[in-house]
Amino acid sequence: MTTPISILDLAFIGADETAADAFRTSVAIAQRAEQREYQRIWYAEHHNMASIASSATSVLIAHVAAHTSSIRLGSGGIMLPNHSPLAIAEQFGTLATLHPNRIDLGLGRAPGSDQNTMRAMRTDPRASDRFPDDIRELQGYLGAASIVPGVVAVPGAGTNVPLYILGSSLFGARLAAKFGLPYAFASHFAPTHLLDAIATYRNEFQPSEQLSAPYAMAGINVITSETEEDAERQRVDVSRRRIARFVTPSRELSAAEADDLLASPQGQQIAQMMHYTAAGTPETVHHYLENFAEAVGVDELMTVHPSPTIDERLRSIDLLADARDATAVAI
């Protein structure tokens, strides 16, 4: 039995592209994923990042939902310290009302931005300390009874939008376990504490009204191609683009410049962020993903397809689905 796979779409704005191009790409990815029976697609809240267009996460979810019909859509995640729980309950209550049984609400406690951007958003630096209490308040707004007297989320109340806790440390794992919620680890860019976090979550899990047993997810980068050589070419290209985004965001780097940076201690640190990457032919990638899921102990994989072009991303999504279909037929 193969592990369910989903997609985290960061709404990348490629070189010489606009946010409008990124949104068209997100729709195309969602439609393809729906056709190929992926489990769900999530979008991440980031701010002040020139290469990511998913800052208004709930708006993008609404747009993609209007252009698809069945695949689950959600946030991976909403950075709750940037918002009031009531506002998020109203936004996702609206989404769930318009698109019943299709909406997920993944929550993180990081700001998703730098300090200057936090100030521009009027985010209280201490807001992350209220994260557990804000989750409880949000649960009340989306459930049958608000815990804030006289305040009801309209729409939102009674929609019971499923909540997921996102994290890259033991804090999120323990919180998800305590609240009895599904847990998603951001191992596609923060691999260090993956094994400890998943083990902690499973060991400390307490059943809740939403979830009777632990449900763990993990992010992983995927580059699937017809040949190992082409997958490696794409992986190298992705690594070069990533180092340029982090180190020299104001200018492009030549291949030689990017390779020199990747070989430096700083570059090695950045490259380590993509430690969990499955790159190769469909059979190679599928085998890697199944071994990864078993070794880590996760119930679902959240794949990120970072290939340089939209055609290569769609091809990666298709080829992985083909490999899984072939395995299912063989079983």
Side-chain angles (χ1 to χ4, degrees):
M1 186 174 181
T2 57
T3 307
I5 54 173
S6 299
I7 293 175
L8 174 64
D9 179 4
L10 297 175
F12 284 121
I13 303 174
D16 302 320
E17 290 184 346
T18 66
D21 296 321
F23 296 146
R24 282 189 287 269
T25 295
S26 289
V27 169
I29 287 173
Q31 291 173 337
R32 186 65 57 88
E34 183 171 84
Q35 292 167 5
R36 301 311 306 265
E37 299 183 343
Y38 279 70
Q39 191 90 346
R40 69 188 89 235
I41 298 182
W42 282 358
Y43 304 93
E45 178 188 346
H46 291 283
H47 301 280
N48 195 31
M49 297 187 69
S51 60
I52 296 180
S54 52
S55 55
T57 313
S58 59
V59 179
L60 180 56
I61 293 170
H63 177 66
V64 176
H67 288 82
T68 53
S69 60
S70 59
I71 193 167
R72 294 194 68 88
L73 301 166
S75 58
I78 289 292
M79 300 298 107
L80 195 54
N82 294 339
H83 313 275
S84 74
L86 178 60
I88 295 303
E90 291 169 342
Q91 290 173 23
F92 279 78
T94 298
L95 288 168
T97 301
L98 292 170
H99 308 283
N101 302 313
R102 293 185 61 197
I103 303 301
D104 301 327
L105 177 48
L107 300 164
R109 70 177 182 126
S113 60
D114 55 67
Q115 294 294 321
N116 285 339
T117 307
M118 285 179 60
R119 285 192 287 270
M121 295 180 66
R122 306 298 190 267
T123 300
D124 182 347
R126 298 164 298 180
S128 60
D129 297 336
R130 299 194 298 269
F131 186 56
D133 293 335
D134 285 350
I135 291 173
R136 288 299 194 202
E137 186 177 336
L138 180 57
Q139 281 182 311
Y141 290 137
L142 293 170
S146 168
I147 65 173
V148 180
V151 179
V152 178
V154 182
T159 57
N160 295 302
V161 176
L163 304 186
Y164 296 73
I165 301 299
L166 279 59
S168 57
S169 69
L170 296 185
F171 177 89
R174 290 198 167 101
L175 185 64
K178 179 181 179 180
F179 284 6
L181 295 173
Y183 178 59
F185 191 92
S187 39
H188 60 290
F189 75 90
T192 305
H193 301 292
L194 171 62
L195 297 177
D196 287 343
I198 297 299
T200 296
Y201 169 67
R202 290 196 175 280
N203 290 336
E204 299 183 9
F205 181 84
Q206 301 176 29
S208 68
E209 186 175 342
Q210 177 178 327
L211 196 64
S212 61
Y215 192 87
M217 306 159 72
I220 186 167
N221 301 287
V222 171
I223 299 173
T224 322
S225 187
E226 286 85 351
T227 67
E228 299 286 348
E229 293 75 16
D230 188 62
E232 177 61 12
R233 174 193 63 79
Q234 292 184 43
R235 188 197 65 77
V236 170
D237 194 348
V238 168
S239 296
R240 288 168 174 165
R241 291 168 185 250
R242 177 179 283 256
I243 196 76
R245 282 203 306 272
F246 277 96
V247 180
T248 61
S250 60
R251 73 176 184 91
E252 295 288 325
L253 293 177
S254 68
E257 289 175 322
D259 289 343
D260 285 343
L261 276 173
L262 283 166
S264 70
Q266 181 186 23
Q268 288 296 298
Q269 277 191 319
I270 295 172
Q272 178 64 17
M273 294 169 66
M274 290 187 67
H275 175 74
Y276 292 117
T277 296
T281 63
E283 295 76 15
T284 299
V285 169
H286 179 65
H287 184 67
Y288 183 107
L289 294 182
E290 289 303 311
N291 285 344
F292 174 84
E294 182 177 1
V296 177
V298 293
D299 304 287
E300 184 177 335
L301 296 173
M302 185 62 68
T303 62
V304 179
H305 296 259
S307 294
T309 70
I310 175 57
D311 288 340
E312 288 167 335
R313 275 174 254 163
L314 292 174
R315 190 71 180 136
S316 180
I317 290 167
D318 273 336
L319 289 172
L320 177 55
D322 288 343
R324 292 169 59 79
D325 290 347
T327 300
V329 169
I331 293 173

